[in-house]
Amino acid sequence: MSHAGKHYTGSTLEIDGHVAVVTLSNPPANTWTRDSLTALRDLVRDLDADRNVYALVVTGEGEKFFSAGADLKQFAEGDKALARETARRFGEAFEALSAFRGVSIAAINGYAMGGGLECALACDLRIVEEQAQLALPEAGVGLLPCAGGTQNLPCLVGEGWAKRMILLGERVDAATALRIGLVEDVAPKGEAKARAIAWARQAEKQSPTSVAACKKMVQATRMQTHATALVAEREAFVDLFDSADQKEGVQAFLEKRTPQWKNA
């Protein structure tokens, strides 16, 4: 399946080998619209169905913004039906991103505010550039983060810092984001995307079938108890013995060669 160079509303897609790079593109601040959220959902589902794609990098166009979140103009009329529809589309888009079977990495190249930060929170890993700032400022305009922010942020930073950011509207800089566990790395200005692609290449060395199973298990306790997830973890281990990659991985190790993954 080829998507290279295909344009989706609000973003562009490039595929290089097993790595897909999605660039959020809605100048000047890469804000989300209902159409761009639906397009992101469809794009991620397309990539998920492409067995040749092992990793996904999400970044923002330009130097200043990763994404400034929802375009607030659409909420000026106080239309509840529109609000419900927008919230649903945010949910569908970022839940599709969370469920992507490969490794997803947010290369945060500038401001990530509100739904912009929530997009990064839906990814597996985050690299932030040293000049960027991160925030969930929704309560300052009479709203709340409706795209996973109140749930995903405390998973990473704990309840205290999540409340500090959401209830006080506090912005965090790159150094603070790293210290509190909101991001996994800080890169110099302009270098987050390259570092994210390097991480994606690192992920390529792992068995993609194993990565998909591992990711599912790491995220399992969001939905089930620790005890249930431990049982599922053992079952998932046994299920990998049905995969070609398990046979190839062990064989390659024993033969002291690099494995050739099939994602099957």
Side-chain angles (χ1 to χ4, degrees):
M1 193 184 297
S2 172
H3 323 277
K6 188 169 175 184
H7 191 83
Y8 291 80
T9 304
S11 65
T12 55
L13 172 66
E14 300 160 75
I15 296 182
D16 182 9
H18 299 298
V19 180
V21 179
V22 173
T23 305
L24 307 178
S25 168
N26 184 21
N30 301 331
T31 45
W32 295 107
T33 63
R34 284 174 298 159
D35 288 345
S36 69
L37 288 164
T38 301
L40 180 73
R41 179 200 68 190
D42 294 345
L43 184 161
V44 173
R45 286 178 181 173
D46 286 351
L47 294 176
D48 200 52
D50 186 341
R51 303 299 291 179
N52 199 44
V53 173
Y54 299 174
L56 166 60
V57 170
V58 182
T59 193
E61 185 180 76
E63 285 190 7
K64 196 172 179 191
F65 289 95
F66 175 75
S67 166
D71 186 342
L72 286 182
K73 286 194 204 79
Q74 59 190 327
F75 303 138
E77 303 298 317
D79 183 334
K80 276 181 78 174
L82 176 66
R84 183 169 283 113
E85 171 75 1
T86 305
R88 183 178 63 79
R89 293 198 196 194
F90 262 115
E92 288 178 355
F94 296 169
E95 281 158 33
L97 189 52
S98 282
F100 172 68
R101 66 184 151 67
V103 178
S104 54
I105 307 162
I108 305 170
N109 58 301
Y111 286 101
M113 317 301 265
L117 179 54
E118 288 174 301
C119 177
L121 290 171
C123 293
D124 297 315
L125 297 166
R126 286 149 293 281
I127 300 171
V128 67
E129 291 184 8
E130 58 194 4
Q131 82 288 356
Q133 296 202 3
L134 315 173
L136 291 178
E138 285 87 345
V141 294
L143 294 168
L144 62 73
C146 72
T150 65
Q151 304 305 299
N152 294 335
L153 184 60
C155 288
L156 284 173
V157 303
E159 198 173 297
W161 264 103
K163 285 176 171 171
R164 203 166 153 175
M165 290 179 69
I166 296 169
L167 307 186
L168 306 186
E170 187 167 330
R171 287 186 184 187
V172 299
D173 61 15
T176 306
L178 184 65
R179 180 168 56 82
I180 67 176
L182 177 50
V183 301
E184 286 70 46
D185 203 6
V186 176
K189 189 171 197 279
E191 290 183 27
K193 180 179 167 183
R195 193 167 295 182
I197 290 170
W199 278 12
R201 299 270 178 240
Q202 210 175 317
E204 275 183 32
K205 295 174 185 169
Q206 311 278 77
S207 153
T209 47
S210 291
V211 165
C214 290
K215 174 170 171 172
K216 212 170 188 174
M217 289 316 310
V218 170
Q219 293 178 184
T221 45
R222 296 178 185 181
M223 312 294 280
Q224 55 185 279
T225 66
H226 184 78
T228 319
L230 284 173
V231 176
E233 182 183 62
R234 296 192 290 271
E235 290 301 319
F237 173 79
V238 175
D239 288 346
L240 284 171
F241 281 77
D242 292 331
S243 71
D245 281 351
Q246 182 273 331
K247 293 173 187 65
E248 168 64 9
V250 173
Q251 213 51 51
F253 176 80
L254 295 174
E255 293 169 10
K256 297 183 171 55
R257 61 176 175 81
T258 304
Q260 303 297 309
W261 304 123
K262 298 281 185 286
N263 199 5

